[in-house]
Amino acid sequence: MTFIEFKDSIEQGKYDNRLYILNCEDCFFVADQYINAISNTVNKPVQYITDVKSLYTKTKDIFGVSQLDNNIKVFKTNDLSELDNSCKTQQNTFIVTTKLSKTVQEEFKQYIVNIPKLEDWCIKDYLYSNLEELNNKELDWLYDITNGDIYRIQNELDKFNLFNSEEKPYLFKDMKSEGAFSDLSSYNVFNLTNSIVNKDLVQLSNVLKEIKRFDAEPLGVISILYQSFKKLILVLLASNPTPESTGLKSNVIYAIKKNSTVYNKHQLLEIFKFLTNIDKQLKTGKIEIPWLIDYAICKILTIM
Amino acid sequence: MVGQQVIQDTINNFIDTGTLPNSIIFSGGWGCGKHTLVNELSEKLEIPVEDITDKVTLATIQEILISSTPCLYIIDTDKINVKEQNALLKLLEEPPKTSYLCLLTTDKSNLLPTIVNRCFLLQFNPYTENELKFFTQDKEILDLVTTPGRALQLSNTDLEPYKALITKLFTKLHTASESNVLSIPNKFYYKAPEENKLDFELFTFLLLKMSLDAYTSNLITFKFYLTVLSFIDSSRTPHIALPQLFENTLITLKMLVG
């Protein structure tokens, strides 16, 4: 079934009560929109399941009633590598994925709907059409500050939709002046520290552009970096690292060994010396907390 | 209290004449008897002792200023930073009439001049060997210590694990992996005593003594010795994270020896 046919069937009320595999090109946003529309049309709630096996292994509650019969069942995954044939008889069932194996593609061909990628113009159009009360300049500003991320845009639209049309322009001005949009970021402090530990300069650059929009407390960043580099040393510079000798779990040791570090031994030790000296520098007044993150990044990345 | 007759006579004279200063600095090395003297003073004055080292804030100072309950307040100034010393100035300028403030320090040069000027200074004199023999007869310990407190501490502690670890640091560090080296700080406790762990403060005391001997007998290089000295000096910085400082020093020493 093509996407257009799927769309038309819903809009014309000719939705077929069966299994659909929605193969999304990037995010799940469009699939979510359509599932919610169907849910409203057929007046059935959406139930998200975490294990695809529960689709074909029926479980009953204490009253002997099957758990999933009356709901729209949705299973989401980033990689659908296999699927039992008994799923073909499922009703009101959506499997949403961004990757399909060849086996599934061949066996479930007639159930697959390919959802196209959300282009930038689609996202802009969505924003514009849902916030007509704002002028183009304001909408462009909002689009830029959300980095065109459809989920973040939806979050902001949900806030605006709590108010009536006349209030929205004033609400926007108030929120902008009070910095209510300043917490919009898809990054967190671990993105920052991971990019430093992995020496991923592209990611680091992207994260630093948004650093004011997420909670990157300097001492917290240094603490995470210290722990990260200490783990690298404990594992990579030991002849036979074990949970007993390192104090780390075996899966952590395995993960560190599997992913080779971009730093050599000398660099790891110099970086660790630097990080363990920061406390002394702070307590003796040689550096100040506001400059810590910039100082740490410059120092770590320039250690030869 | 054994020894320090001059200090004891001075304090007794103040008490007899009712002229005991409200702010006193007791200056002397670790274990010289500062806390012992303060406790004796509190018994003579019949007022309780309260240690406010961890509570040096403007709020605590304010509470003390308005309190009418006589008390002898102790502050270990080796554990407070300059900002906290400045917070004390208000209390020193207008001390409560019925309370006393005792500032303890191992080195009065670490105190702000504005604090020293506002207090009466009592400097502990070095102990003679005969005075120390009152606390221990062990010749090896008597060679190491200069204060009764340290003599008692060493007499009551098995020093072999400390000496063995320090000797390994001097002689075996080049064979240890960096990962093993970083496990050393976990063997110590840094504040309250913990079972099966060594006293970090005692370790640094013995490390200082043994490192000079190790340097003079060419067991360690001059750079190694300087790094140890710098570490021991830094360990006295108020509020410093000792385990991290120790890790930093161990890695530095490891990189020196290869």
Side-chain angles (χ1 to χ4, degrees), chain A residues 226 230 273 279-280 283, chain B residues 178-179 234 239 241 247-248:
Chain A
Y226 159 74
K230 186 173 178 181
K273 263 177 60 179
D279 179 67
K280 179 179 161 187
K283 301 281 167 59
Chain B
E178 285 80 5
S179 179
S234 299
H239 308 305
E247 285 176 338
N248 177 276

Side-chain angles (χ1 to χ4, degrees), chain A residues 222-223 225-227 229-230 233 268-283 287 292 295-296 299-300 303, chain B residues 182 185 231 234 240-252 255:
Chain A
I222 298 299
S223 177
L225 285 173
Y226 159 74
Q227 294 291 346
F229 279 100
K230 186 173 178 181
I233 290 175
L268 279 177
L269 294 177
E270 286 291 346
I271 290 169
F272 189 72
K273 263 177 60 179
F274 162 72
L275 290 168
T276 48
N277 196 38
I278 284 183
D279 179 67
K280 179 179 161 187
Q281 289 184 286
L282 281 171
K283 301 281 167 59
I287 52 173
L292 259 185
Y295 177 48
K299 187 74 181 175
I300 290 172
I303 285 177
Chain B
L182 286 183
F231 160 62
S234 299
I240 197 160
L242 291 170
Q244 271 193 22
L245 177 70
F246 198 8
E247 285 176 338
N248 177 276
T249 302
L250 288 168
I251 289 295
T252 305
M255 290 173 83

Side-chain angles (χ1 to χ4, degrees), chain B residues 204-216:
Chain B
T204 56
F205 170 77
L206 290 170
L207 179 64
L208 182 61
K209 300 285 180 186
M210 291 175 68
S211 59
L212 178 59
D213 292 337
Y215 171 61
T216 52

